[in-house]
Amino acid sequence: MTAKITIAIDGYAACGKSTLAKALAKELGYIYVDSGAMYRATTLYFLNNQLSWDDAETVRQALPNIHIEFAKVGGKTHTFLNGQDVEEEIRTMRISNQVSYVSAVSAVRKMLVRRQQEMGAMKGLAMDGRDIGTVVFKDAELKLFMTASIEARTQRRLEELQAKGIFEVDITEVERNLLERDRIDSSRDDSPLTQAKDAVIIDNTNLSPEEQFNMALELARTRIAAKIKRLELIG
Ligand code: DC
């Protein structure tokens, strides 16, 4: 048994889930997995191959051909789809506008959830997404549910896109996309975005990244200490 824990971070779009998960993983020496990137890469595959995700047989045939991996490029983790670096492409509005529809397909979820569970089997991992604490790692020792005002989220996403050199998006389009994705992600039949009963809620509208990080790290350290204590009692 390991003293390492699983950290599951769920919440609405553009709440800073990945920034927090990444920072926690770095501090604790854990693996970080962006589960949203896997849904985004799957969406890219369907779009690039002009395949319909509404047709069950098409989806069944397509899924075995989708291989998603993560690898470091210049110190940063990039997403690879069938050996190709797609990190930049999966963040564009072309993907953001379709990803919630692809994520609602049960067969897609089944494949990606299995893959995510394999990645987390050894513990010592921080994963962010929409169903991590409720489906993927129901037994995660620390579950966080993040939220923030739509204004704060829109502003952050806009800055993120601009930092990547993507300027041809307007604020209304970004806001509309976030609200629409939240609506679809929260109302789909399979694994909708909901707060796990045992999740700690973090509303970061008025929190600095440092304040939020310190709060989450404190929680993680408490859970790790509790796990060590449990292991000592058993051992
Ligand atoms: O985290 P993100 O915004 O990059 O995620 C993109 C989409 O992927 C999100 O709108 C819904 C879907 N998603 C999901 O259904 N389940 C997850 N665990 C992660 C993401």
Side-chain angles (χ1 to χ4, degrees):
M1 268 266 247
T2 169
K4 288 185 173 178
I5 64 167
T6 301
I7 303 174
I9 305 183
D10 291 304
Y12 297 102
C15 272
K17 300 185 294 293
S18 59
T19 308
L20 179 62
K22 226 178 275 173
L24 286 174
K26 191 168 177 217
E27 179 69 25
L28 297 168
Y30 283 15
I31 291 166
Y32 160 66
V33 179
D34 173 358
S35 71
M38 300 170 79
Y39 288 93
R40 288 174 178 271
T42 304
T43 305
L44 180 65
Y45 181 86
F46 276 89
L47 288 177
N48 280 356
N49 292 285
Q50 298 176 335
L51 298 172
S52 161
W53 49 80
D54 289 328
D55 181 65
E57 184 52 26
T58 307
V59 172
R60 197 185 63 78
Q61 287 185 23
L63 293 185
N65 302 321
I66 301 175
H67 302 284
I68 300 162
E69 281 160 343
F70 296 104
K72 291 258 179 192
V73 177
K76 289 193 172 166
T77 304
H78 282 205
T79 311
F80 286 75
L81 169 64
N82 294 335
Q84 250 204 314
D85 187 344
V86 293
E87 186 57 31
E88 243 179 64
E89 220 178 334
I90 60 169
R91 310 289 166 193
T92 59
M93 293 305 285
R94 173 178 173 238
I95 301 300
S96 296
N97 284 331
Q98 306 298 331
V99 65
S100 287
Y101 302 109
V102 179
S103 317
V105 178
S106 287
V108 169
R109 303 204 69 80
K110 210 170 156 193
M111 175 183 84
L112 296 183
V113 166
R114 196 185 316 125
R115 191 76 188 86
Q116 290 152 10
Q117 288 172 337
E118 283 165 10
M119 290 176 185
M122 302 299 285
K123 296 265 170 193
L125 159 137
M127 189 180 284
D128 75 300
R130 303 294 187 287
D131 62 342
I132 310 306
T134 51
V135 175
V136 183
F137 300 122
K138 282 196 188 120
D139 62 349
E141 289 86 349
L142 177 59
K143 298 180 185 179
L144 300 174
F145 189 88
M146 293 174 61
T147 176
S149 74
I150 183 65
E151 291 79 16
R153 295 192 284 135
T154 306
Q155 193 51 42
R156 287 179 202 153
R157 181 46 55 91
L158 209 65
E159 285 165 12
E160 226 173 78
L161 288 167
Q162 285 170 352
K164 288 191 174 120
I166 303 171
F167 293 97
E168 73 284 7
V169 283
D170 70 89
I171 193 155
T172 329
E173 189 193 358
V174 172
E175 183 179 306
R176 204 184 313 123
N177 173 259
L178 295 182
L179 290 172
E180 184 62 2
R181 278 205 287 137
D182 288 346
R183 188 187 67 73
I184 303 170
D185 296 343
S186 310
S187 62
R188 68 184 173 221
D189 291 334
D190 191 341
S191 324
L193 167 65
T194 51
Q195 208 182 294
K197 280 194 201 79
D198 49 350
V200 178
I201 305 170
I202 299 184
D203 181 337
N204 62 25
T205 310
N206 297 308
L207 287 181
S208 71
E210 294 74 32
E211 285 170 326
Q212 170 172 267
F213 172 69
N214 289 333
M215 193 187 276
L217 184 62
E218 175 73 30
L219 283 166
R221 290 208 197 285
T222 308
R223 303 295 164 98
I224 293 166
K227 186 163 184 186
I228 291 173
K229 206 164 194 180
R230 271 202 311 278
L231 290 176
E232 283 169 356
L233 285 176
I234 297 167

